Amino acid sequence: MNKLSDKEKRFNFKRHQNAKKSRRMLIRFVVYSIVIILILYLILEKGKHKTKTGGSNNVEQFEIESD
């Protein structure tokens, strides 16, 4: 009977280990999501920048007639 009361009094570490692991997974998920979104944003901005510079040249075109 004394052993049963000791088991009931013992602290359950398993429950808190799982909570710690799930907290770590949540933090990893948030950090990885932020990094992926940042990379995609930079890729899209670079693509927009290329189309702006490629299409908007302020150079006039001259036709040269050769005889």
Side-chain angles (χ1 to χ4, degrees):
M1 187 132 188
N2 193 10
K3 289 184 180 182
L4 288 177
S5 63
D6 285 343
K7 286 185 179 182
E8 291 174 359
K9 290 180 182 179
R10 289 184 186 174
F11 189 74
N12 186 4
F13 289 102
K14 294 287 183 183
R15 184 178 356 149
H16 296 284
Q17 285 178 345
N18 291 335
K20 189 174 181 180
K21 287 180 184 178
S22 64
R23 195 177 319 132
R24 285 181 185 170
M25 281 187 10
L26 179 65
I27 291 171
R28 284 182 190 156
F29 177 76
V30 169
V31 170
Y32 291 160
S33 299
I34 291 171
V35 169
I36 290 172
I37 289 170
L38 180 66
I39 290 171
L40 288 175
Y41 172 76
L42 292 174
I43 289 171
L44 291 175
E45 283 298 312
K46 186 176 181 181
K48 287 180 184 178
H49 182 68
K50 280 186 177 180
T51 56
K52 282 183 181 179
T53 58
S56 63
N57 288 338
N58 295 331
V59 177
E60 295 181 17
Q61 295 181 357
F62 296 100
E63 291 184 18
I64 301 175
E65 293 181 12
S66 60
D67 291 323

